[in-house]
Amino acid sequence: MNTTDTGPSANSIIIILLSILLPPLGVALSRGIGTQFLINIVLTILGYVPGLVHAVWLAARPAD
C-alpha cells in the first residue's frame, strides 16, 4: 500500500480560498512579500480578476 499523499494539503486549500477573497493576502502567505506580491498588488489595482488569476495561479503551483 502506497502512503504518499499527492492531494492538496489543508494549508494550500486555505491559501487558495484567501487568494479568492483578497488576492494580495494569498500571494503574501504563499510566496512572501517580494516581487510576486508587488506584481499582484498592481494587477489587483488594475482589476480584481487579473489579481485573482495571478494569486490563484501562484497558490496552485509549487514554490520555486
Side-chain angles (χ1 to χ4, degrees):
M1 185 166 126
N2 191 356
T3 60
T4 59
D5 183 23
T6 58
S9 68
N11 286 340
S12 64
I13 292 172
I14 291 171
I15 290 174
I16 290 173
L17 289 175
L18 287 173
S19 296
I20 292 169
L21 295 174
L22 190 62
L25 178 62
V27 173
L29 291 175
S30 66
R31 303 294 170 156
I33 307 293
T35 307
Q36 293 298 327
F37 178 74
L38 295 175
I39 290 170
N40 190 267
I41 292 283
V42 171
L43 288 172
T44 304
I45 289 171
L46 292 174
Y48 175 75
V49 174
L52 170 70
V53 170
H54 181 253
V56 171
W57 177 66
L58 286 177
R61 64 183 264 233
D64 296 336

